[in-house]
Amino acid sequence: TKLLRYLSNLERKDITLRESMIPLGSCTMKLNAAAELEPVTWPEFANMHPFCPPEQAEGYREMIESLNSWLTSLTGFAAVSAQ
């Protein structure tokens, strides 16, 4: 019975649609495949210094602007922000 009480207590702590909205992105965060996330671990991509000169980060800026443009077109929002 201790185990059942423990499991019931855990169940009550779980968020459900009955009690709350599920946060946006909670499903996709769990479902991203390791293969999709692997490129962000590549040293050429992941190890840019935060204070590098802007001219050395041109590719990053272009990539982020393209992504923002695609997301704006796809969603119909006036703008999106990559943070």
Side-chain angles (χ1 to χ4, degrees):
T1 59
K2 269 186 165 181
L3 179 60
L4 289 176
R5 274 192 291 248
Y6 174 73
L7 291 174
S8 293
N9 189 25
L10 285 180
E11 183 183 28
R12 280 192 296 276
K13 291 179 181 181
D14 194 16
I15 283 189
T16 67
L17 284 175
R18 189 181 56 170
E19 288 116 15
S20 174
M21 291 283 295
I22 294 177
L24 185 62
S26 63
C27 295
T28 54
M29 295 300 286
K30 289 183 275 190
L31 297 176
N32 282 333
E36 294 169 339
L37 297 175
E38 184 180 352
V40 298
T41 66
W42 295 342
E44 303 85 3
F45 188 83
N47 293 336
M48 183 178 73
H49 192 277
F51 298 117
C52 86
E55 63 273 5
Q56 292 180 15
E58 184 64 29
Y60 285 88
R61 188 189 60 73
E62 186 178 320
M63 179 181 63
I64 292 167
E65 286 177 357
S66 293
L67 177 62
N68 287 348
S69 175
W70 296 336
L71 289 172
T72 301
S73 296
L74 288 169
T75 61
F77 293 155
V80 296
S81 174
Q83 303 201 16

